[in-house]
Amino acid sequence: MSVSDPALFTFVKLNVSDIDAATSFFEQAFGMTHADTVDTPTFREHMMSGKKGSATIVLFHWKDGRAIETGNGYGPVGMITRDLDGDLERALSAGAKQKGETVSFGPARIAFVLTPDGHEIEMMQMGERAAA
């Protein structure tokens, strides 16, 4: 058995009810780009990429119209921001709903939003000690 480097983490996949609306949301809310599509008779995927070095979000849509059920066995998709207030406003304008209040945690400020499909996104701004 040969030894190789471990697998490289490169993407997160989110099931969505309307792939075109979800694509537009991630473009408007987070400045992501629709980089590629996989289209089969049963499902369609849109690969959404951010700036160089960031992971890809794959938006996955079943064509048979099955309901999306968001469970509690996962955590939020995490994003690092340099301008939490600006990015939060952009996400809300694109259709996100804020979950709770923006909080300070040590030197970080953190806000959570829900996408139109109910996926939780955590946005964190690191920096100087946040105001209490």
Side-chain angles (χ1 to χ4, degrees):
M1 184 167 131
S2 67
V3 176
S4 62
D5 289 337
L8 180 63
F9 171 69
T10 58
F11 69 91
V12 171
K13 191 175 287 195
L14 301 175
N15 290 333
V16 297
S17 58
D18 180 334
I19 196 163
D20 294 322
T23 298
S24 179
F25 171 78
F26 278 93
E27 288 170 338
Q28 292 173 26
F30 302 109
M32 299 186 87
T33 302
H34 177 187
D36 201 2
T37 298
V38 172
D39 198 355
T40 76
T42 57
F43 68 87
R44 186 166 58 158
E45 294 181 331
H46 286 179
M47 283 54 127
M48 305 300 294
S49 61
K51 293 183 178 180
K52 184 177 180 180
S54 67
T56 299
I57 293 179
V58 178
L59 303 175
F60 182 92
H61 173 73
W62 288 109
K63 291 182 176 180
D64 63 9
R66 69 184 73 178
I68 303 301
E69 297 178 21
T70 305
N72 64 0
Y74 72 97
V77 172
M79 296 187 176
I80 299 295
T81 175
R82 293 179 187 265
D83 178 10
L84 181 62
D85 296 324
D87 287 338
L88 177 59
E89 180 56 38
R90 189 172 14 269
L92 296 174
S93 294
K97 303 278 190 249
Q98 188 164 359
K99 182 179 177 186
E101 298 293 322
T102 300
V103 297
S104 295
F105 186 73
R109 292 181 61 233
I110 303 167
F112 293 86
V113 296
L114 298 175
T115 71
D117 275 308
H119 299 292
E120 189 173 9
I121 308 286
E122 177 180 349
M123 295 183 291
M124 179 185 296
Q125 179 179 350
M126 298 301 295
E128 296 181 33
R129 184 161 221 56

